Each structure stands twice: as structure tokens, then as C-alpha cells.
Amino acid sequence: GQQVMQIPQYQHVQEGEDFTTYCNSSTTLSNIQWYKQRPGGHPVFLIQLVKSGEVKKQKRLTFQFGEAKKNSSLHITATQTTDVGTYFCAAPLRGQAGTALIFGKGTTLSVSS
Amino acid sequence: EPEVTQTPSHQVTQMGQEVILRCVPISNHLYFYWYRQILGQKVEFLVSFYNNEISEKSEIFDDQFSVERPDGSNFTLKIRSTKLEDSAMYFCASRLTVSPGGYTFGSGTRLTVV
């Protein structure tokens, strides 16, 4: 079935360093979503990207959707301890908008001060 | 801010027993989902529900699983005969429309099968 690959699985940074997680699909995606899950918590929706080459920013977070709509990235500038958690990308199960989401395995970010 | 509510937060059950996990989606949302997450692993899709019927289901969602929306507010997941490997966090999610916008997840029910 369709898979969404996400790397790295874990990343440890010093507070103030940047962080990036990458998401790849073998098929063209209609959209991609990003979620954050704090330790012991539930996934929380961050953003949805729809257009080819789209770039969206939320404060220190920058989200990109590739030109071919097969990959995406989340970049955090100057990490803070509040950024700790697992970041998941998620894409429509059958590549079409409106279907259920399939999640990547996530990148777990730890930040030391 | 509207929330998806799940009960119970933690359920321990004996292998072979039936369990019902309950969810109250956000009131004006139309699409409902169940996902599960085995400890430390990714979030896995189980089933989606729209217009009072299942719209999609994964390979995990076999005959042991069923969903219901018994009234206008509750959305339940039943596991008929639990197995040890059903131990996981079960998340309910809902959303208003299919596009745009993400899911709102509940806080989850941790199911432990012993």
C-alpha cells in the first residue's frame, strides 16, 4: 500500500540550533499535512500544504511542499525546549483529497538547554 | 476551542473480552475516524465514517472491529474479542470537511490487553 517515508527517526539538538524533518512519497500527493505530538499527548494539526512548491511559515516553523508534490519538509529555526515532541507528516491514503490519512513514522525531536 | 472527547482514558481488559471505546466528535464535524498508535510507533489508520456509514477501512480493521454512531453525538469503536496485540493508544478524530483542514484528535484511550 501507499507509504510515506519520514527521516530522520530521531534528532537531538541543543537549544537554539535548527531542525529539519523530511517526508517522501513514491506517488504524487494531493496534499500533505503536518502534526505535532508531545510526549504522552495526541497529534495536533499544524498545517496543510496543497500547491506545488508551496512554502508556509508559522513563526519559527517553515513548511515546504516539493515541486513534484512527492516530498515535504518541516524546518524549525532556533529550537526551543517547547519544540520537543514527535513531528508527523500525513498524506491522503489513496493520494486523493478526501480520503483518510496515512502517517509517516515521525521524527522525534529532543532539545537540551 | 472545540474538542474531541474520548472515554475512558485508560482501559485494561482480559484477552478475549469485548471493549467499546467511546468518542464524542466536535458537534458540527461530518467526518469521523479511528486511528491507533502502538507505543513508540506511528499513527495507523483504522476506519473512516461519513454519513452514517464506513467510507474507508484499513487491513487492520478486520471482522473483530466495528464502529457505530448510535446517536447524534457518540462515535464508538468496538473490539469483539481482544488480543494482546490490540494493546495500543486509540485515537478518535473528526473534521468538518475533507479539504482544506486537518483532523482534530481526541486525547486517546490507552487500551491494555492482559
Side-chain angles (χ1 to χ4, degrees), chain B residues 34-101:
Chain B
W34 283 101
Y35 283 78
R36 79 173 186 190
Q37 186 177 34
I38 294 169
L39 187 62
Q41 298 189 24
K42 69 176 181 179
V43 179
E44 298 178 293
F45 168 67
L46 294 179
V47 66
S48 59
F49 196 84
Y50 170 70
N51 202 25
N52 287 321
E53 60 182 22
I54 291 174
S55 46
E56 292 172 292
K57 58 183 180 178
S58 72
E59 294 168 352
I60 302 168
F61 194 88
D62 61 21
D63 292 344
Q64 292 299 311
F65 292 87
S66 62
V67 288
E68 269 193 338
R69 190 158 160 79
D71 53 45
S73 58
N74 291 286
F75 180 49
T76 62
L77 174 69
K78 182 193 291 185
I79 309 175
R80 266 181 263 285
S81 178
T82 50
K83 306 175 199 142
L84 293 176
E85 54 264 37
D86 293 327
S87 295
M89 181 72 90
Y90 287 80
F91 291 109
C92 174
S94 70
R95 60 177 169 174
L96 177 59
T97 62
V98 294
S99 183

Side-chain angles (χ1 to χ4, degrees), chain A residues 4 6 23 29 31-35 88-92 101-104:
Chain A
V4 175
Q6 195 172 351
C23 190
L29 304 171
N31 66 78
I32 195 158
Q33 299 184 14
W34 286 91
Y35 290 79
F88 293 97
C89 60
L101 294 178
I102 184 167
F103 282 72

